[in-house]
Amino acid sequence: MEPVTITALDFERCYRAVSTRDSRFDGQFFTAVRTTGIYCRPSCPAITPKRANVSFLPTAAAAQQAGYRACRRCLPDAAPGSPLWNVRADLAARAMRLIGDGVIERGGVPALASTLGYSQRQLTRVLTTELGAGPLALARAHRAHTARLLIQTTEMPMSDIAFAAGFASIRQFNDTVREVFAVSPTTMRTESRRSPRSDAVAPAAPGLLTLRLPYREPLDTGWLAWFLSAHTVPGMELWEDGVYTRGLRTPHGHATVRLSFQPGHVRAELALRDMRDLAPTVARVRHLLDLDADPQGIDEGLGLAVPDNGLPVVTAVPGHGFGPGIRVPGCLDGPELLLRTMIGQQISVQAAATHTARLVGALGDRIDGPAPRLFPTPDVVAERGAEVLTGPARRVSAVVAAARAIAEGELVLHSGRTAAELRRDLLALAGVGPWTADYVTMRLLADPDILLGTDLVVRQGATLAGVDLDHTTRWAPWRSYLSMHLWKTALEHRGVIAAPRPSRPVNGSEAS
């Protein structure tokens, strides 16, 4: 079954997904049942409603705006996010990425419209037409989800939860929870203690939230584990016993995250300095691990067939059998991604980690926790980076110049940009070539269709797999994922990654 497009939901395809309880479509659309007044995810275990009683809506916000309340059995707001926000690059998709990062909570609709370069009126019209709800309703749905997480995973007073979730008043918080979930906040907390939800577990310690982040199966955890461990910077990041730990800057302070791969979910332990940062932190972690991807659709698009008998995947690409469920790692912070990538150009992963660790140790802010340093801000790198960074003078000056461009607002790095504009701006920087521009664009925007065709390791993988990198249109729009497959193929062949589990790392920039 092909993915359903948001702008024209096909009733028959949606109803077939609901009839088969196909979890692949959870988060891609929502089922509104007129007779019960509730909306569900496609895989809801309840009895399939009659055709005459259902309609399909593109977002939870659209369902809520139409007067439906969330199903308390399948928790549709806890489904993985729609993969279409990454596949599409139009205004609606870019707006959804920024709404998920909490832009409206921090600056209202004017901030969202200004960031995207549109008027508020035009933005509202487009979102209402495309997604069934305007920006305020979409943000309200995100606030309701954040409120539910805090109610079910913390012992915070309800008044504190209201403001941490972004509500303007306690009354607005109470009314929204009742409208969306059909229970009061107090009742929701009581019920959660008796029946733990699929995306939350009890706090491991005071001030620590522990969440289960869902994803669509399959997931190549070995590839993600290698990628995280390969790029760990001492002092800022840790990789120990399969757990990735690091600190990151958040809109209202900072947070420490601990991530580990568990059967069916990613376990995320979050220590937040300010609870208002819960939603954007979760969104950034999901982006880092590409958890909202549709792996079955991607694998099929790349010519991979997943047989019902569970035997290894067979690929249409001659010469190699790619494994299922590979992801394209994203990032937690755009400026950090660019500066780390530039530092690592033309040197080994180990050397890049050494240089970056020196920068972090000298200029990064100190925080409490097992990863005691944050990556330094662009303004600090612009001012003092030349004192700390070593290596070729041209590379050091390029890194400092890029940091200055970010600090002065000449270069804007956020997920609401278009790939073409971002790539153009990156290539305008001294010391940034096509590989760096493509790599940063791919990871910052979660762009699914960027081929890292100039990367030496990718080219080696293509030779092993029999892929002609000059003729790759057949794999559009999934060429970022093809790049990851080829990258992994070359590393496995070298013995750097011991299939099927990852080992000692090397990345594409080492050979570029």
Side-chain angles (χ1 to χ4, degrees):
M1 187 181 298
E2 298 178 357
V4 179
T5 60
I6 288 291
T7 52
L9 292 176
D10 183 289
F11 185 93
E12 287 302 321
R13 281 194 290 163
C14 290
Y15 193 79
R16 189 158 65 250
V18 171
S19 299
T20 58
R21 295 178 175 81
D22 192 337
S23 61
R24 168 181 163 184
F25 293 93
D26 287 353
Q28 296 201 42
F29 67 86
F30 298 87
T31 307
V33 185
R34 300 185 187 92
T35 51
T36 61
I38 66 172
Y39 70 94
C40 303
R41 60 171 79 192
S43 66
C44 182
I47 296 174
T48 302
K50 296 180 180 179
R51 290 172 175 265
N53 296 333
V54 301
S55 58
F56 300 106
L57 298 169
T59 60
Q64 294 168 19
Q65 189 154 288
Y68 292 92
R69 65 182 186 274
C71 175
R72 291 162 64 187
R73 185 173 182 180
C74 71
L75 291 179
D77 72 305
S82 174
L84 294 177
W85 309 145
N86 294 335
V87 176
R88 292 171 45 169
D90 57 10
L91 175 60
R94 291 185 287 120
M96 285 299 290
R97 298 176 203 160
L98 294 175
I99 290 172
D101 196 50
V103 169
I104 289 182
E105 276 71 23
R106 297 191 293 275
V109 177
L112 177 64
S114 175
T115 301
L116 292 167
Y118 287 80
S119 68
Q120 296 181 55
R121 181 176 180 179
Q122 187 177 11
L123 176 64
T124 299
R125 178 182 60 79
V126 170
L127 294 185
T128 301
T129 301
E130 294 282 327
L131 307 180
L136 287 176
L138 291 163
R140 178 178 180 266
H142 278 275
R143 286 195 293 270
H145 172 60
T146 302
R148 181 180 65 79
L149 285 177
L150 291 173
I151 290 168
Q152 294 179 338
T153 64
T154 76
E155 296 299 324
M156 291 173 61
M158 295 299 178
S159 58
D160 291 346
I161 290 177
F163 294 109
F167 291 97
S169 67
I170 297 175
R171 178 176 179 178
Q172 184 187 66
F173 160 71
N174 287 328
D175 290 346
T176 298
V177 171
R178 288 193 180 96
E179 289 174 15
V180 173
F181 301 107
V183 293
S184 69
T186 302
T187 300
M188 178 180 287
R189 174 168 282 174
T190 301
E191 291 180 346
S192 70
R193 289 168 177 165
R194 294 197 300 262
S195 178
R197 300 303 190 182
S198 62
D199 62 339
V201 296
L208 182 68
L209 299 180
T210 303
L211 308 177
R212 294 188 180 100
L213 304 183
Y215 54 79
R216 297 176 183 86
E217 296 278 8
L219 178 69
D220 187 342
T221 58
W223 169 248
L224 285 175
W226 168 79
F227 200 94
L228 293 175
S229 63
H231 297 83
T232 296
V233 173
M236 187 180 79
E237 299 167 299
L238 288 174
W239 176 266
E240 294 180 335
D241 300 325
V243 179
Y244 174 70
T245 305
R246 66 158 291 167
L248 68 148
R249 298 185 190 281
T250 55
H252 300 96
H254 60 79
T256 297
V257 301
R258 287 170 48 87
L259 308 175
S260 59
F261 300 103
Q262 307 295 330
H265 69 276
V266 172
R267 180 184 175 93
E269 297 178 8
L270 311 178
L272 303 169
R273 185 180 180 90
D274 191 316
M275 282 296 176
R276 290 177 294 176
D277 292 329
L278 173 60
T281 300
V282 170
R284 293 174 190 185
V285 168
R286 295 191 65 83
H287 172 59
L288 172 68
L289 302 179
D290 197 15
L291 296 184
D292 291 328
D294 174 12
Q296 291 187 34
I298 294 166
D299 289 347
E300 291 169 5
L302 292 178
L304 305 180
V306 183
D308 294 333
N309 60 14
L311 295 176
V313 170
V314 178
T315 177
V317 177
H320 190 81
F322 296 151
I326 204 166
R327 297 298 204 268
V328 176
C331 70
L332 294 172
D333 180 79
E336 176 190 320
L337 171 64
L338 174 60
L339 298 180
R340 287 181 63 174
T341 302
M342 293 180 70
I343 291 171
Q345 290 179 130
Q346 304 298 328
I347 59 177
S348 69
V349 170
Q350 291 79 9
T354 299
H355 284 283
T356 306
R358 185 182 299 119
L359 182 72
V360 169
L363 304 181
D365 293 339
R366 179 174 288 278
I367 61 174
D368 294 331
R373 294 282 184 177
L374 299 174
F375 192 84
T377 59
D379 58 318
V380 172
V381 176
E383 180 181 354
R384 298 187 53 201
E387 304 171 11
V388 179
L389 291 170
T390 59
R394 181 176 296 180
R395 185 177 69 213
V396 172
S397 63
V399 172
V400 172
R404 184 176 299 111
I406 299 169
E408 295 177 355
E410 297 175 3
L411 175 63
V412 179
L413 299 173
H414 61 65
S415 61
R417 302 206 59 189
T418 66
E421 291 175 348
L422 176 60
R423 190 175 188 275
R424 177 201 65 201
D425 290 352
L426 290 171
L427 287 174
L429 295 172
V432 172
W435 184 90
T436 298
D438 287 341
Y439 180 78
V440 171
T441 299
M442 178 184 72
R443 293 190 61 191
L444 177 61
L445 303 186
D447 190 309
D449 199 32
I450 292 180
L451 180 71
L452 298 179
T454 62
D455 185 279
L456 179 58
V457 179
V458 170
R459 298 189 72 83
Q460 291 172 344
T463 299
L464 291 167
V467 173
D468 183 355
L469 293 179
D470 294 325
H471 299 87
T472 60
T473 54
R474 61 176 288 196
W475 292 294
W478 308 118
R479 285 175 285 192
S480 297
Y481 293 88
L482 176 64
S483 297
M484 297 300 102
H485 276 298
L486 298 177
W487 203 346
K488 182 181 178 184
T489 296
L491 296 177
E492 287 180 347
H493 180 75
R494 291 184 184 182
V496 174
I497 299 180
R501 296 191 62 83
S503 181
R504 192 168 172 268
V506 171
N507 79 2
S509 62
E510 174 178 345
S512 300

